[in-house]
Amino acid sequence: MSAAGEAVALVRAGRSLSEALAGLAPATGQRAAVQDLAYGALRNLGLLDALLAELLHKPVKPALHALLLCALYQLRARPHAGHTTVDQSVRAVSRLEPAAKGLANAVLRNYLRDTDALVARCNSEAAQYSYPQWWIARVRAAWPQQWESVLNAGNLHPPMTLRVNRRRLTPEQYLARLAERGISGERVGEQAILLERPLPIETLPGFSAGEVSVQDAGAQLAAPLLDVQQGMRVLDACAAPGGKTGHILELADCNLTALDSDPARLPRINDNLKRLGLGARVLCADCSSVALWSDGTLYERILVDAPCTASGVVKRHPDIKWLRRESDIDRMAATQAGMLDALWQLLAPGGKLLYATCSVFPQENAQAIASFLARNSAASRLPLAGLDSGQLLPDARHDGFFYALLEKH
Ligand SMILES: C[S@@+](CC[C@H](N)C(=O)[O-])C[C@H]1O[C@@H](n2cnc3c(N)ncnc32)[C@H](O)[C@@H]1O
């Protein structure tokens, strides 16, 4: 409970949840429980915040506030273990802030005593959907028919999906290998297998030998859409950790350059390619500063898997809901426009550029592409089979993505 509270407090102070958890190093055996608590609290933070506001009569320090949020989450997740949770939480509070022990005890017991009435009073949209109000308003404006399902999908537990390396075996062969180990899965795409239950990668047959990778089914659409043929010059401009790089190379023997501007993420491209037994030229560079890294080579295919608000992947990263600011949307859209303009110069005539984000905000997606097309008469947008608008909205089976395939005349 203490470590989860610390992680939530760090997220509220602006750190990402993965960084926060990595820095805490809870005792062996506790890691999974700490993660469950911290992820669960952040998924449900809108409601938990509102409940705590009802229960507290004066402000408390951020660390105590975060700990009480985790305690409330645990009480909601395990209603039958209420008294044990209260005892554990009060012990954690007494280590953090001994003088607040009585307050914590009263808050949590009041919650147990009055749960239904308290929850009924938390009727704001931010509490009901557990997103910031501005986010709810943006999603509703963008997707008037689907906004609730988009928001609710972001609060689900993420599924685990595998990409079968078609150079090694077929999805049916891999499903049979899973079945031999008593693992159930279902084919949900060309190379995609959705596991019935998430599993540690060490338990997956052939993982270290590169037979499969972990990749969301929506993300697995990118490489086939790019339509790479044998021997082509291909640029993967925002490549780390290399999920889509590996997929492109599994599909075709091509001459691939993978860039990423983050030196900390770059080694993961090499690790992934090594595990898959594939090769690419991997460079640390800002793809928009073309003059600094390009030798003038034109590429027949370019993938721009652009940095974005990541609003389509909140079920994997619930901290994103609370770390983003509304102004990030315009800021990201400006970065994305600069990237598209810079990389377009490197596309060979007749070549194709696939623009991708994991966002559900049109400013980063359809609007970004409409503006790009308006300022580039040599570009046209190609239709994508089965994905008319280019927007894949998130649901229980996959994350949210946007794809636009552009061709240069
Ligand atoms: C959505 S992620 C890419 C995911 C990756 N394509 C995959 O499938 O595994 C976006 C990446 O863009 C990188 N990035 C951000 N700005 C960049 C820039 N100016 N030049 C190159 N890479 C950049 C980030 O470091 C991040 O790794």
Side-chain angles (χ1 to χ4, degrees), residues 309-330:
T309 56
S311 53
V313 295
V314 290
K315 67 164 108 72
R316 284 178 209 290
H317 303 285
D319 50 331
I320 285 174
K321 298 192 289 183
W322 313 107
L323 291 170
R324 291 287 172 266
R325 298 288 167 262
E326 191 169 15
S327 56
D328 290 341
I329 300 177
D330 285 345

Side-chain angles (χ1 to χ4, degrees), residues 214-215 236 238-246 258-260 262 264-273 275-276 282 305:
V214 177
Q215 190 178 41
D236 185 354
C238 297
K244 299 184 186 76
T245 318
L259 294 188
D260 203 279
D262 184 344
R265 286 166 65 86
L266 208 69
R268 295 180 56 196
I269 306 178
N270 287 318
D271 293 348
N272 269 319
L273 294 182
R275 186 179 59 80
L276 294 168
V282 178
D305 192 11

Side-chain angles (χ1 to χ4, degrees), residues 24-45:
L24 291 175
T28 326
Q30 299 256 302
R31 186 170 285 278
V34 170
Q35 279 192 11
D36 277 358
L37 251 180
Y39 273 83
L42 289 167
R43 265 188 201 113
N44 296 282
L45 198 62

